[in-house]
Amino acid sequence: MIAVLASVCAHAQQDAGQAIASPAPAQRAKATMAVVDFSTCAKPDYPLASLRAGQVGAVVLAFLIGSDGTVKDAKLVTSSGFPLLDMAAQDGVRRCRFKPSRVDGKAVEAWMKMQYVWSLGGLDPAQNAAGLAAARTGAERGAPASQHHLGLIYMEGTGVARNPAEALAWWRKSAQQGYVPAYLSLGQASQTGDGAEPDPAQALIWFRKAAEHGLPEAQHMVGYMLMGDAGVAADKEAARESFRKAAARGWAPAQARYGIMLLEDKVPDSMEQGLALLRKAVAQGDNAGRFSLARCYETAHGVPLDLAKAAALYETAAFGGNKPAQQAIAMMYERGEGVVADAVKADQWRKAAEIPIPRPR
C-alpha cells in the first residue's frame, strides 16, 4: 500500500489569488520555487474503506504555500475517482511544511501542484505460488494450521481463483482438529454467508467455541451477536459480559463497545473506566472508539467540552470509513464547529457518508 507524492510546478505570487506582474526585462525579479521538506510530510494513511474496496488512483492537488512555509489552502485539480482517497491526499499535503518561494530574496506566497498516487502493493506471482504450495503440502499432510491457511488463500483469492466453498472445506478439516482460528473463520463465513447461506445460529456456535478458548475477537463477536440485531435471540447481559472479557484481553473494538456501555451507566466510576477504555481503543486505531470519544468531547460527556478535539477524532474516524463520523465531520465543517467552516469539505464528507460500506473480503 503506497501513496507516492510528487511536486509538479509552482507559481509565486505576492497576494493570495493574485499573480505577480512580470517586470520589465532589465528589472526582472529573481524568483525561486517553493521546495517541500519531505521530512515533515507524514505518509497519509490509506483509508480503510478504500483498502477494502481495492480503490486506487492518482490525485492532483493545487495548494497555496504561505510565506511561512505552511499550506494555507488546497484544492482538488484532478480526482482519483474516489472521494476518500481525494480527501486523504488533501489531508496529507496540509501536514507538509515547505521552504517558501522567494522573489528577490523575500518569502512570498506560492501556488504549487502535487500528485498523490494511491496503489495497492502485494506479493508477486512467484511468492503467491510458493505460499500456496507450502500451505497445500502442509494441509494435505493434515496440519491444522496449514489447512486453515490454505482456506484463507482460497477465501481471499491470493494467487488462485477465489473459491469460498473450497475455503470452508479446509476450515472444517482444521476445526475438526480443534484449531481455534478455524472456529473464528467458520463463524465469520456463517455470519456473512460467504460460501453458503448466512446462518446466524451456526455462526454463534462457532464464535462461542472460539470464545471459550479465550480468543478476544470471538468474544467480541459473541457480544455483538447477542445484542439483538444479528438474527439470534438477544441476551444483553451476556453480551456485556462477553464484551468485558474481550476488552480485558486488549481487543480494541470490544474496548470501544464496553467503554460505551460503561459511559451509559452514568455512574462516576463507570464513566471514568469507560473513558479509559475508549482511549485505549483509540490508541490502537479503532474508529468506533474515535467516534465515541469524539462524541464525548462534542457533548462534554465525562470530559470538558472541546470541539477541536472532537473534530480531529471525527475526521480520523471518517477517513477510516466510519459512517457516523463522516456525517458528524460534515456537520462540523458546515457549521464551522471545531474547524474552519468549509462548505466544499462538508459536501465531500456528506457524499462519502452516502457510499455503501464495502464488504470485507
Side-chain angles (χ1 to χ4, degrees), residues 6-348:
S7 62
V8 180
C9 65
H11 177 67
Q13 60 184 53
Q14 293 173 326
D15 298 301
Q18 298 178 358
I20 296 175
S22 298
Q27 301 168 334
R28 186 173 300 275
K30 294 181 180 179
T32 58
M33 294 172 58
V35 178
V36 63
D37 181 356
F38 284 100
S39 67
T40 67
C41 291
K43 183 179 178 180
D45 293 329
Y46 217 119
L48 180 59
S50 298
L51 277 175
R52 287 176 172 174
Q55 295 173 354
V56 297
V59 184
V60 178
L61 303 173
F63 50 96
L64 177 64
I65 304 160
S67 58
D68 61 353
T70 61
V71 177
K72 302 294 186 182
D73 191 14
K75 299 177 181 178
L76 183 65
V77 177
T78 304
S79 171
S80 66
F82 302 106
L84 279 180
L85 295 185
D86 295 345
M87 287 184 284
Q90 290 179 66
D91 181 66
V93 78
R94 287 180 187 277
R95 300 179 193 177
C96 297
R97 290 189 65 87
F98 293 76
K99 295 178 182 178
S101 292
R102 294 183 177 274
V103 175
D104 286 337
K106 180 182 178 181
V108 296
E109 291 187 340
W111 280 96
M112 290 187 69
K113 286 184 180 179
M114 183 176 286
Q115 177 175 273
Y116 275 78
V117 179
W118 299 93
S119 63
L120 299 173
L123 297 178
D124 63 34
Q127 290 174 305
N128 285 331
L132 175 63
R136 186 178 297 281
T137 297
E140 290 174 348
R141 288 176 179 171
S146 295
Q147 290 169 340
H148 181 250
H149 185 203
L150 185 58
L152 291 173
I153 290 173
Y154 276 111
M155 187 60 77
E156 295 293 330
T158 307
V160 295
R162 187 168 185 267
N163 190 334
E166 185 76 4
L168 291 177
W170 284 110
W171 285 345
R172 290 190 186 102
K173 290 180 180 180
S174 179
Q176 287 169 1
Q177 298 189 68
Y179 191 63
V180 176
Y183 299 156
L184 179 64
S185 294
L186 285 167
Q188 291 168 334
S190 298
Q191 180 195 14
T192 61
D194 216 348
E197 290 297 315
D199 189 340
Q202 185 60 52
L204 183 57
I205 291 171
W206 285 120
F207 286 141
R208 278 181 162 152
K209 286 176 71 71
E212 288 167 1
H213 288 80
L215 199 66
E217 186 175 357
Q219 292 169 336
H220 175 258
M221 289 306 302
V222 169
Y224 166 78
M225 296 202 74
L226 293 178
M227 287 300 291
D229 297 320
V232 297
D235 186 341
K236 293 191 176 180
E237 285 303 313
R240 181 181 176 115
E241 177 61 13
S242 201
F243 284 134
R244 185 196 66 77
K245 289 178 179 179
R249 289 181 173 271
W251 188 250
Q255 290 173 332
R257 196 66 179 262
Y258 187 53
I260 294 167
M261 290 179 165
L262 291 170
L263 284 167
E264 290 172 346
D265 289 344
K266 297 183 180 179
V267 176
D269 288 347
S270 292
M271 290 181 69
E272 185 176 346
Q273 185 183 356
L275 286 167
L277 283 172
L278 285 182
R279 291 189 174 105
K280 287 181 179 180
V282 169
Q284 295 190 67
D286 184 79
N287 289 310
R290 285 171 173 145
F291 172 79
S292 297
L293 187 58
R295 182 55 56 87
C296 289
Y297 280 114
E298 185 184 13
T299 61
H301 185 63
V303 294
L305 181 71
D306 193 327
L307 294 180
K309 281 186 179 179
L313 285 163
Y314 278 142
E315 191 152 32
T316 304
F319 279 122
N322 185 281
K323 296 300 178 181
Q326 290 171 352
Q327 294 166 351
I329 193 62
M331 292 295 292
M332 296 193 88
Y333 273 116
E334 182 177 312
R335 297 171 179 171
E337 295 176 344
V339 292
V340 177
D342 189 325
V344 173
K345 278 196 170 183
D347 185 59
Q348 287 177 319

